[in-house]
Structure formats: structure tokens, C-alpha cells
Amino acid sequence: MGDLFSSLFGGFDGGRPTSTRGDDIEASISISFMEGAKGTTRMVNVTPVADCEPCSATGLKSGARRQQCSTCRGTGSQTMVLNSGFQMSSTCGVCQGTGSSIPRGSECKDCGGVGKVKVRKQVKIDIPAGIEDGMTVRIPREGDASMSRKGSPGDLLVRVNVGSSDVFRRQGSNLYHDAVLPLHVAVLGGRVRVPTLDGEVELRVPTGTQPGDDVVLRGRGVQSAVVRGSKGDLFVSFLVNIPRNLTPRQRELMQQYADDVEGRRNTRTNPTPTSGTGSTTNRTSSDSSNGATTRSASSSATDSRPEQPGTDSTSSPSSRGTPTGTAGTDLNGSSGTRTDGKDANESETQGGNKSTSSPWKTLKGFIGLH
């Protein structure tokens, strides 16, 4: 309502139009994420309404003069009287409130007697640091010129479209970044380099960092475009990269770690011999009892005759030797050691002839060792 009454009554002073402001014009530009964060300068093309230079915004050609408006008689307004006696004034539609008109044939060739033309020009736009996507920059007095000769021009409104970033996410003046950590760095701790607006910095990664943990870098965000002197923060969130392929050694180490955590015995690195094979035990006994091994080898070398049924396949006391290890005592009371399994077979074939042993003798030898 205020604009309506202003246009009807308040826009005139004694029938003459007062100074009016020109219209605002709009434009848009696109900038990158870093340009929006750090600030930049751009040139924008606009076509505002401007004063006609050849006629100096008079609308007259050279040497011509304006004449009094015959409709309003130079008042610039028209008065209407209602039935109730109330009078209402309005702008003269012929002279547009100027009180004078341009005679026919006296119009300027460039503007057609209007006194205004559209011009194309470039305007320098200073984009402040920290501007956000969709914000508008106002450039004063770069809009359309006023239709009256005493009015001020309007403003230029530039909408700024800020692109996205592949590195950062922005919320207000704060920045967010995801740093991917190798598995061993997340478990053991270490250091990682992360990007900022001013270059990369090195961060210390604590031991046992979990996915989703974050670190705040104060003052590493974006300059606020609203509050001057205020700057946001940079939030770094850690992500852990789980390897898809492992080498055999890496898989073995991970299996050992899993067995240790779950309390399982690692049967891969510490195999337990079964009761069916005694080669490991017998080999250990042979290594710890050098005398017993010597006796077994000499016994098999001297006793090359086939064993008769019912007789013991034992060597003479001269070739038996004195055992230096832990020699047991068999069931017949003779002291010495005897190996079974692979060691027993090796000692029985060293003489060149295969000797046969009874199962009872083999059992006695195993009891003697254990």
C-alpha cells in the first residue's frame, strides 16, 4: 500500500516528479571450491540501462528543443475530480511527468527520444573469502539508470555458485575430511598427512584408532563471510582400510593374532605328535643319549644273522657300549636303550641284512625310552 500511494501521490512535488532510483539488475557466476574459500576476483558481463551519451539523456537531436506538454500544460500531472468532490492527481501519460514533450521529428536517433539506452559492459566483482554457494554479492550503482535525470542508478546483484570439492565437505565455516589409514597404522599408531586449505600437515595417529574417530584442527576451516575475523575448524575423520588380499606370511601372522586373542593353541607352528608315531620322541631321545645311539648302530652292524624264533636279538656286551644318556631297563633286566619307528629301522638296516624284531621287543624298547 505504501508503494501504491507513493506512486500515486508521494512521487511528485508540486506536480513535478521527484528523483527516483533505478532498477536493480541480476547476474550469476560460478567459481570453484577453493576460490570460494580463499576469495577471488571475476569479471561479469551485464547490460544495464544507461543514459544516452549523444543526447546527454535529453532525448533530443542536436539543435532541437522541447516544448510544453499540451495535455498537462506543463504541470506534469493530471487532476481528476470525483463525484464526491474529491480530487486525485496522477502522472501525465504523455510527458511522463516532465511537463514537456519532444516535438515530432526532433527525437535522438540513438535512443528514439527516450534518453536511455542499454549498454553492454564488464563489471569487476570482488568475491570475499568464505562465500557460500547461493550467496549474493551486491555491487552499488551498477544497475539500471534512473528514468529521471536526477535519480540514482540501481545496484548489480551477483549470485555466486560455488562448486563442490573432492577432498572437503563444508558446513558453514567448518570443513570435514576423511583420512584413510592402513590397518597397521590404525592398530600400532603412527603419522598420516592430511590436506588443508594452506597445504598438507602431518597428524599423529594414536594407537588403536577406531573407524570414525576424528581430530579437530582449530582455525583450519573457512573464513566466515558473515562474521568478519571468524574462522572455522577442520574435522578429520579416520577410516581404516582393510586389505582384501594377504601374502602367505601376512595371513600366518593374522592367524596367530586371531588364535592368541581367542585363546586357541596354534597347531600350525607347534605341532603335537600323535600316539601312533613315535619318531619325534625317539629322535629326541637319540639326540640326548649319544651312547644309546652308538650302541644301537653297533648292535645292528655286528648282529647280521637272522633272528631265531624265541631268542633275543641283542648284541654282545663288548659292542653294546656304555650309554651316556637316560637309558632305561627292559623287561629281561638288561640295561640299554632301543629305538623304534624310523630310527629303529635305520639301525637295523645299517649292517646290510634286514633283521626282524618281535612286536614284544619293540614294545619293550618303547617302554624303556619313556
Side-chain angles (χ1 to χ4, degrees):
M1 294 295 292
D3 294 338
L4 177 61
F5 282 100
S6 176
S7 61
L8 292 177
F9 305 104
F12 305 94
D13 184 13
R16 299 289 180 179
T18 60
S19 61
T20 58
R21 182 176 177 273
D23 295 333
D24 296 335
I25 60 176
E26 297 181 355
S28 63
I29 58 174
S30 298
I31 60 175
S32 66
F33 181 88
M34 291 300 295
E35 289 176 334
K38 307 290 287 187
T40 186
T41 300
R42 286 295 182 86
M43 301 297 293
V44 60
N45 296 320
V46 293
T47 54
V49 174
D51 293 338
C52 179
E53 292 183 359
C55 66
S56 301
T58 60
L60 296 172
K61 66 181 181 180
S62 179
R65 300 182 59 182
R66 302 178 71 92
Q67 65 182 10
Q68 184 180 16
C69 178
S70 59
T71 304
C72 63
R73 297 182 180 181
T75 60
S77 62
Q78 292 178 311
T79 303
M80 293 180 293
V81 180
L82 303 179
N83 294 332
S84 58
F86 182 75
Q87 295 182 354
M88 185 175 65
S89 298
S90 63
T91 304
C92 177
V94 177
C95 65
Q96 302 298 324
T98 59
S100 62
S101 61
I102 300 175
R104 187 180 298 275
S106 301
E107 297 91 351
C108 173
K109 295 191 247 183
D110 295 319
C111 62
V114 179
K116 308 293 178 182
V117 292
K118 280 203 169 188
V119 296
R120 183 178 181 85
K121 65 177 182 177
Q122 285 188 332
V123 180
K124 181 180 178 181
I125 310 297
D126 293 327
I127 301 175
I131 191 168
E132 298 185 39
D133 182 37
M135 282 187 171
T136 300
V137 178
R138 181 183 290 271
I139 310 299
R141 302 183 64 86
E142 291 293 344
D144 289 341
S146 174
M147 297 306 295
S148 66
R149 300 185 63 179
K150 296 182 179 180
S152 61
D155 299 337
L156 170 62
L157 307 179
V158 181
R159 175 186 172 89
V160 180
N161 301 317
V162 182
S164 59
S165 171
D166 297 333
V167 180
F168 301 106
R169 300 186 308 275
R170 180 177 177 181
Q171 291 184 3
S173 59
N174 294 328
L175 294 178
Y176 296 84
H177 172 71
D178 293 333
V180 181
L181 301 178
L183 180 61
H184 65 278
V185 176
V187 175
L188 303 177
R191 293 185 176 273
V192 64
R193 298 189 66 84
V194 297
T196 67
L197 294 179
D198 302 320
E200 289 188 347
V201 296
E202 193 174 61
L203 288 183
R204 186 181 66 85
V205 180
T207 302
T209 298
Q210 302 296 318
D213 291 352
D214 53 14
V215 176
V216 182
L217 301 181
R218 302 294 181 185
R220 292 284 187 173
V222 180
Q223 177 74 33
S224 176
V226 179
V227 182
R228 181 171 298 181
S230 176
K231 204 169 186 180
D233 304 327
L234 172 59
F235 294 82
V236 180
S237 298
F238 293 122
L239 302 177
V240 179
N241 183 20
I242 305 299
R244 295 182 180 272
N245 299 317
L246 296 176
T247 63
R249 172 172 171 76
Q250 291 172 348
R251 183 174 294 276
E252 180 181 358
L253 294 176
M254 288 300 296
Q255 186 62 49
Q256 292 180 13
Y257 171 76
D259 293 341
D260 183 71
V261 170
E262 297 181 4
R264 297 194 303 258
R265 184 175 180 181
N266 193 349
T267 58
R268 299 183 179 212
T269 57
N270 297 318
T272 303
T274 60
S275 60
T277 59
S279 59
T280 304
T281 305
N282 296 334
R283 197 175 289 117
T284 305
S285 301
S286 299
D287 294 338
S288 62
S289 179
N290 295 330
T293 306
T294 304
R295 172 213 177 270
S296 177
S298 61
S299 173
S300 62
T302 56
D303 192 4
S304 60
R305 301 185 305 272
E307 186 177 7
Q308 300 296 329
T311 61
D312 296 336
S313 176
T314 58
S315 62
S316 61
S318 62
S319 63
R320 183 177 304 162
T322 303
T324 60
T326 56
T329 305
D330 59 13
L331 296 180
N332 291 334
S334 62
S335 62
T337 60
R338 184 175 180 89
T339 59
D340 57 357
K342 182 179 179 182
D343 294 341
N345 295 334
E346 290 176 355
S347 64
E348 289 172 359
T349 57
Q350 286 177 359
N353 297 328
K354 182 177 181 181
S355 61
T356 58
S357 300
S358 63
W360 181 249
K361 287 291 185 179
T362 304
L363 179 60
K364 289 193 299 180
F366 183 77
I367 297 175
L369 286 174
H370 298 278

